[in-house]
């Protein structure tokens, strides 16, 4: 599965405690994921350059492995430091230039236990 490249988030669905919330990528923020042969990184920031109350910056990354459609991330670096050193397993599907990853995010130190489904579109060079 050719997943290397840069991916722009299209939408995200979070299923937590019986509630399902789907959000489209915000027109006020940008979220990308960059994948090379061994590592991944994600970056999210507001498009107002941190100049208003919607200021946000999130970054993280680490090693990953891919076996058929099973994609595993080991988050080595994260701006939310209590997420570091956690492992996440996702199922990937790739259709044309759309990458979908779905799996459980569980981070006890952050009180997180949810299903996360993210849909990305490949960024053209």
């Amino acid at each position: 599965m050719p997943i290397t490249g840069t991916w722009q988030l299209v939408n995200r669905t979070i299923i937590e405690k019986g509630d399902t919330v789907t959000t489209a990528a915000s027109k006020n923020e940008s979220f990308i994921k960059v994948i090379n042969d061994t590592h991944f990184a994600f970056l999210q920031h507001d498009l107002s350059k941190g100049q208003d109350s919607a200021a946000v910056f999130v970054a993280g990354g680490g090693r990953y492995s891919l076996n058929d459609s099973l994609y595993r991330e080991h988050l080595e670096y994260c701006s939310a430091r209590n997420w570091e050193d956690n492992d996440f397993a996702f199922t990937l599907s790739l259709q044309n230039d759309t990458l979908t990853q779905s799996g459980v995010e569980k981070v006890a130190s952050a009180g997180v236990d949810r299903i996360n489904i993210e849909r990305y579109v490949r960024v053209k060079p």
Side-chain angles (χ1 to χ4, degrees):
M1 184 178 306
I3 65 168
T4 57
T6 303
W7 301 90
Q8 180 79 44
L9 183 69
V10 175
N11 61 32
R12 170 184 291 134
T13 299
I14 301 290
I15 304 168
E16 188 170 23
K17 297 182 176 113
D19 291 330
T20 300
V21 177
T22 299
T23 53
S26 170
K27 64 179 186 241
N28 300 320
E29 293 180 5
S30 178
F31 185 107
I32 62 168
K33 185 172 226 176
V34 180
I35 303 172
N36 68 21
D37 290 336
T38 58
H39 289 77
F40 72 96
F42 58 85
L43 300 162
Q44 176 183 5
H45 73 155
D46 61 274
L47 298 177
S48 60
K49 301 190 184 293
Q51 300 301 310
D52 60 26
S53 61
V56 64
F57 179 80
V58 179
R63 292 189 167 275
Y64 79 89
S65 65
L66 179 63
N67 186 2
D68 293 320
S69 63
L70 180 58
Y71 172 74
R72 294 181 182 270
E73 294 180 343
H74 178 71
L75 191 57
E76 297 172 66
Y77 308 93
C78 192
S79 55
R81 301 302 296 272
N82 56 343
W83 283 66
E84 289 182 346
D85 206 28
N86 280 283
D87 296 303
F88 304 95
F90 299 97
T91 300
L92 288 189
S93 66
L94 181 61
Q95 187 169 26
N96 298 322
D97 282 335
T98 301
L99 177 70
T100 303
Q101 72 176 55
S102 59
V104 174
E105 290 181 331
K106 190 168 188 171
V107 182
S109 62
V112 173
D113 186 358
R114 63 191 182 194
I115 296 170
N116 185 13
I117 304 163
E118 295 175 338
R119 191 163 57 100
Y120 296 89
V121 64
R122 187 183 297 275
V123 175
K124 303 286 186 188

